[in-house]
Amino acid sequence: MARRAVSVAVVALALLAAATAASADSWLYEKFTTDGNVRADYNAEGQQVTSLILNQQSGGAFRSRQRYLYGEFSIQMKLIPGNSAGTVTSFYLTSGDGDGHDEIDMEFMGNSSGDPVVLNTNVWANGDGKKEHQFYLWFDPAADFHTYTIIWNDKNVIFKVDDLFIRSFKRYRDLPYPGGKPMSVHATLWDGSYWATQQGKVKVDWSNSPFVVSYRGYTADACVPTGGGDVGAPLSCPAGTDRWMNRQLDAAEWGTVAWAKKNYMHYNYCDDGWRFPQGFPAECSRN
């Protein structure tokens, strides 16, 4: 009887520990609203794993309840295995969908089986976009989780994959920069057949659906505008903000940017003369 009581107590403690761990990592519904096909589960370590699901009827998305002005935003993702052509998976920040919006994008453009996935990075400022750097990923993003990070401050926007910095978009005082509008965090999975793979030549093969992308380990170390989040409102920032507010790349980190550009860059808007027949954007000659 005593042994049974001990066993019951051990099981109860294990369940309590698992519930506590899950509660501590329940980021989806506490921090985001959802739309479409979204599922939330927990792994063996108590981490919440959120899945976005795409079928022929609908995709999936989640959007942060809070808006931010500068910060470091990070999430772990496991992308679609096999033939993901035509699909687009994203992790991005945006001030909205209207004219004059700001946006910082990490978009993963699916590909046919065996071909590398393309990561599209882009920066929009006051409705001015067309600043894409695209990279072939140097690993299989569907085999395991990898960490994708956006660092945004008043000096630059930095993109990071795992421990490697791949791009820094620098601020110039006389050029558009996403520095005045609070932005919310979004993740989406959708049908981008018209654009995503080989400029839209390869469409989604719906016989492979449903397509699933998994997210976990979300963090936002960021400033929050007070007073309803109006432009120019005072900011409420976490302690130790300097760890990202003044973050710029050092020489070694610029080395990883050069490595990614040399070995894995698929597209650079500053090399696309057909797109800019009247001359390249001004920052292209200053970087």
Side-chain angles (χ1 to χ4, degrees):
M1 188 71 176
R3 183 178 299 171
R4 181 181 178 188
V6 170
S7 299
V8 170
V10 169
V11 171
L13 287 171
L15 290 173
L16 178 61
T20 300
S23 176
D25 197 48
S26 298
W27 53 269
L28 179 64
Y29 296 114
E30 292 179 6
K31 298 179 181 179
F32 292 88
T33 59
T34 65
D35 186 35
N37 298 326
V38 183
R39 184 178 68 231
D41 298 299
Y42 290 91
N43 63 19
E45 289 74 40
Q47 286 181 299
Q48 188 174 68
V49 179
T50 296
S51 298
L52 300 184
I53 303 164
L54 172 66
N55 56 35
Q56 215 161 352
Q57 289 70 48
S58 178
F62 53 88
R63 172 183 178 176
S64 67
R65 300 176 184 274
Q66 184 64 66
R67 293 196 300 162
Y68 304 95
L69 187 58
Y70 301 137
E72 181 171 339
F73 308 88
S74 184
I75 202 161
Q76 297 176 359
M77 299 169 56
K78 182 190 284 189
L79 301 187
I80 298 166
N83 183 2
S84 60
T87 67
V88 180
T89 304
S90 71
F91 176 60
Y92 67 102
L93 290 82
T94 183
S95 64
D97 297 326
D99 294 338
H101 78 289
D102 291 350
E103 188 167 310
I104 302 170
D105 298 327
M106 297 185 84
E107 298 170 309
F108 303 82
M109 300 185 290
N111 225 327
S112 303
S113 297
D115 293 336
V117 169
V118 173
L119 166 58
N120 180 52
T121 65
N122 199 7
V123 178
W124 290 75
N126 198 29
D128 178 20
K130 300 180 181 179
K131 302 185 186 302
E132 301 99 330
H133 281 186
Q134 297 178 359
F135 303 88
Y136 290 115
L137 291 178
W138 49 94
F139 53 84
D140 180 358
D144 203 351
F145 284 91
H146 290 266
T147 304
Y148 305 94
T149 302
I150 295 169
I151 300 172
W152 170 41
N153 57 40
D154 66 352
K155 299 174 180 63
N156 46 201
V157 176
I158 300 171
F159 297 90
K160 185 179 178 184
V161 177
D162 292 327
D163 294 325
L164 297 175
F165 295 91
I166 63 169
R167 182 183 183 186
S168 174
F169 181 86
K170 185 177 179 180
R171 181 176 195 170
Y172 295 98
R173 296 296 173 181
D174 59 329
L175 300 179
Y177 183 82
K181 302 180 182 73
M183 295 199 275
S184 53
V185 181
H186 295 244
T188 59
L189 172 60
W190 52 284
D191 175 6
S193 289
Y194 72 94
W195 162 72
T197 306
Q198 298 181 31
Q199 291 77 49
K201 295 177 182 177
V202 185
K203 313 297 183 183
V204 171
D205 181 356
W206 293 109
S207 68
N208 294 319
S209 66
F211 302 98
V212 179
V213 174
S214 298
Y215 295 78
R216 73 181 188 190
Y218 168 75
T219 60
D221 184 10
C223 294
V224 176
T226 60
D230 295 329
V231 175
L235 297 179
S236 174
C237 298
T241 297
D242 281 353
R243 60 183 166 268
W244 51 259
M245 184 63 85
N246 295 311
R247 188 72 166 87
Q248 298 184 77
L249 301 187
D250 61 24
E253 292 161 348
W254 275 114
T256 70
V257 171
W259 168 84
K261 184 175 182 179
K262 177 181 178 181
N263 295 289
Y264 295 101
M265 180 165 275
H266 170 59
Y267 175 84
N268 181 351
Y269 73 106
C270 287
D271 294 333
D272 192 346
W274 180 87
R275 193 178 191 184
F276 301 102
Q278 304 304 317
F280 291 111
E283 69 271 9
C284 292
S285 61
R286 303 185 192 182
N287 292 333

